[in-house]
Amino acid sequence: MARLIKTELWKLKRYSVIWIGIATMLSVVLLTCFMEMGTPGTPTFSSFSDNVIWNSFSLIFPATIVLIAGYMIERERTDDTLKNIMAIPVSFRSLLLGKVFVCGMISVFLAVVELLFTALISLFSRYEGIALGSVMRSLAQMVGMNCFVFISVLPIIVFTGQRAGAFMTGVAFAFFYGFIGTFASGHGLSCLYPVTIGLGFINYQNGMEVGTYNIFRCVVVLLIMLVITAVMLLLAQDRSKTQKIKGKGDIQ
């Protein structure tokens, strides 16, 4: 597995899609900055960071990480390398698991990028409250939120990754999935809706009262998502190969 992960990290050098992830992190920070212009008063770094986190999970990140993961898997088919990999003692399940692990690392990387853009825009806009403590708090919250959102979309990644050309459908669904989180959190369902459970774990308190999260429910939902993903990975296979075989049989 370590060799597979190392190989996937090496492949990232030739995947331009990683730049799309960086661009989306910049876009969500800029979007938040434009939104702040329409609010009275001068925002602080902490409030700006909180709004970046909110816009990221509800508008950008779910679709972005599904896009990156789907692209990485689909490239094995379009580059015609998947059949060569299958010829050696590496199962499709192991290949998929390796890519999922690397995507988790990318989620952390994009959180760091998001923080850097947030800090730079805050300095440029002269927001108050920029200190080491607040920056480290924002970093921990962004990394945590990205990781929990990544776990919530794992079933989408695993499901679409088994089918050729299906990852863009997964991207569209992930965007809708994340957007609904805005309404779920507004109706007291933050600890029950998979995309928003991270708000409880990072103790997101932007304008809310302290103690509004039920961490036990968040943990239960997290475990359910992990179990669903584990089962899907155990049953994973290259469905596109199966479809081709069936297609040939139908022609005959």
Side-chain angles (χ1 to χ4, degrees):
M1 181 55 64
R3 183 175 298 179
L4 273 174
I5 294 172
K6 183 179 180 180
T7 301
E8 292 301 326
L9 290 172
W10 180 81
K11 289 179 182 178
L12 287 177
K13 296 179 181 179
R14 56 187 175 91
Y15 289 164
S16 58
V17 73
I18 196 69
W19 290 103
I20 295 178
I22 294 174
T24 58
M25 294 301 100
L26 175 59
S27 67
V28 75
V29 175
L30 291 176
L31 173 64
T32 306
C33 183
F34 292 145
M35 293 172 66
E36 294 285 1
M37 293 179 181
T39 58
T42 303
T44 63
F45 172 77
S46 295
S47 65
F48 179 61
S49 173
D50 285 343
N51 289 331
V52 169
I53 292 172
W54 183 271
N55 289 332
S56 179
F57 92 80
S58 62
L59 298 175
I60 299 292
F61 188 70
T64 297
I65 196 62
V66 172
L67 172 64
I68 293 174
Y71 179 86
M72 290 171 58
I73 298 169
E74 192 67 14
R75 278 293 296 265
E76 301 293 355
R77 296 188 177 97
T78 57
D79 291 351
D80 210 22
T81 56
L82 185 57
K83 64 181 182 181
N84 295 328
I85 294 174
M86 295 299 101
I88 59 178
V90 177
S91 65
F92 179 80
R93 188 182 302 111
S94 298
L95 178 69
L96 191 59
L97 182 60
K99 291 183 181 293
V100 163
F101 190 90
V102 171
C103 284
M105 297 172 67
I106 293 174
S107 298
V108 175
F109 168 73
L110 291 180
V112 175
V113 171
E114 185 178 63
L115 174 73
L116 291 176
F117 286 139
T118 301
L120 288 174
I121 295 297
S122 297
L123 288 170
F124 180 79
S125 302
R126 297 182 179 180
Y127 294 157
E128 298 179 353
I130 302 178
L132 180 60
S134 59
V135 171
M136 295 306 296
R137 168 186 168 274
S138 295
L139 175 61
Q141 289 188 320
M142 288 179 178
V143 169
M145 196 64 196
N146 274 17
C147 289
F148 289 117
V149 170
F150 172 66
I151 292 173
S152 73
V153 299
L154 271 177
I156 302 174
I157 294 173
V158 176
F159 180 81
T160 57
Q162 300 176 62
R163 294 159 175 82
F167 78 97
M168 287 307 297
T169 302
V171 172
F173 182 78
F175 176 80
F176 176 77
Y177 186 36
F179 184 69
I180 293 299
T182 304
F183 302 98
S185 58
H187 290 80
L189 300 176
S190 297
C191 299
L192 295 175
Y193 192 69
V195 174
T196 58
I197 59 171
L199 297 174
F201 285 112
I202 69 172
N203 195 30
Y204 183 85
Q205 297 293 338
N206 189 22
M208 296 186 297
E209 297 180 0
V210 178
T212 57
Y213 299 108
N214 187 319
I215 298 302
F216 176 76
R217 291 180 182 176
C218 292
V219 172
V220 170
V221 175
L222 175 65
L223 291 176
I224 290 173
M225 298 307 298
L226 289 174
V227 169
I228 291 174
T229 302
V231 172
M232 293 179 69
L233 281 170
L234 286 173
L235 301 175
Q237 57 179 299
D238 186 12
R239 309 287 178 179
S240 60
K241 183 178 178 181
T242 305
Q243 292 170 357
K244 288 180 180 179
I245 294 175
K246 288 183 178 179
K248 290 181 180 179
D250 293 339
I251 292 174
Q252 292 176 353

